[in-house]
Amino acid sequence: MNSNVNWYLEKKLERVKKSLEKNNYDVYIVNDVEEAKTTLKNIIEKNAKVSFGGSMTLIDNGFIDFVRDMEVEVLDRYKEGLTPEEIGEIFRKTFFADYLITSSNAITEEGYLVNLDGTGNRAAAMIFGPKKVIVMAGYNKIVKDLNEAYNRVRNYASPINAKRLSRKTPCTEVGVCMDCNSPERICNHYVITYRQNVKGRGIVILIKQELGF
């Protein structure tokens, strides 16, 4: 990365870090995925019960397998061969986990987390249930404000995820949100988390790489 671009990015991440800390989050800034994994391992104690929220940041960058290899109990929604009923049971058990590891669709410079869910299990657990929530986010998830967050989530992340999931929705044809009423619509629960009411429950690891959608 160009040194001037790196300087600009570091300044932005520091501003976001301060905003998140003001909103009761613990925040780490790391250089890359490998440093993020080390940070994750240092945070999670042995024998903890850990679950995942749906996230391409976790899937594409080896976080799932990394956690599986830790000395923890994994509520593994990504385990091969699970039935929809078994996955649903894991979703419910997640509310009693020690840690939920996930990402956020957007993070504003004011320190707000913005997420859009299909079933709502990820957003719900981010709000309440697990003792701690760890959010892994590349710098590309950072936006200026809630207006930019809404545009990013509805017109970028949602169409890409709908396409990834092979959903029959208008956005997979035109590439932007059409605010449809399709039975296969994935954007059903739009959640803004302004702050964590319990200090330290939310942990955000900001990664100086472009990750996820």
Side-chain angles (χ1 to χ4, degrees), residues 34-208:
E34 292 308 309
E35 188 176 345
K37 290 176 181 176
T38 299
T39 303
L40 197 62
K41 190 170 185 178
N42 290 336
I43 292 171
I44 299 175
E45 66 272 12
K46 291 182 180 179
N47 302 316
K49 186 179 293 185
V50 181
S51 191
F52 304 113
S55 166
M56 293 309 297
T57 295
L58 301 185
I59 294 170
D60 284 347
N61 297 284
F63 289 110
I64 305 297
D65 286 335
F66 181 79
V67 173
R68 285 171 175 161
D69 289 338
M70 292 170 57
E71 295 180 55
V72 296
E73 178 186 349
V74 180
L75 298 173
D76 197 348
R77 59 177 287 170
Y78 295 112
K79 183 179 178 181
E80 290 186 11
L82 292 177
T83 65
E85 291 75 19
E86 288 171 329
I87 293 172
E89 184 64 19
I90 289 172
F91 288 170
R92 286 184 285 274
K93 287 181 178 179
T94 291
F95 285 92
F96 300 95
D98 296 307
Y99 292 91
L100 170 71
I101 305 173
T102 188
S103 190
S104 184
N105 294 131
I107 301 175
T108 73
E109 291 194 18
E110 302 136 304
Y112 306 152
L113 305 187
V114 181
N115 288 283
L116 188 59
D117 264 14
T119 63
N121 62 286
R122 175 180 64 112
M126 291 175 77
I127 294 169
F128 179 81
K131 292 178 182 177
K132 289 183 180 290
V133 177
I134 303 176
V135 176
M136 319 288 291
Y139 72 81
N140 51 303
K141 300 294 186 74
I142 296 173
V143 296
K144 181 175 178 56
D145 53 29
L146 290 175
N147 287 332
E148 283 192 15
Y150 184 84
N151 185 60
R152 184 185 197 283
V153 172
R154 293 298 297 271
N155 294 310
Y156 179 72
S158 290
I160 290 175
N161 276 308
K163 186 71 173 178
R164 175 178 65 86
L165 296 169
S166 300
R167 294 300 181 95
K168 295 177 181 178
T169 56
C171 66
T172 63
E173 298 294 328
V174 300
V176 294
C177 177
M178 301 299 292
D179 198 19
C180 71
N181 196 33
S182 167
E184 297 192 23
R185 171 175 169 148
I186 66 168
C187 47
N188 297 317
H189 306 278
Y190 187 74
V191 177
I192 301 170
T193 305
Y194 292 97
R195 69 191 296 272
Q196 273 291 339
N197 59 308
V198 179
K199 183 172 176 57
R201 176 180 181 265
I203 301 166
V204 181
I205 301 177
L206 298 171
I207 305 165
K208 287 199 289 185

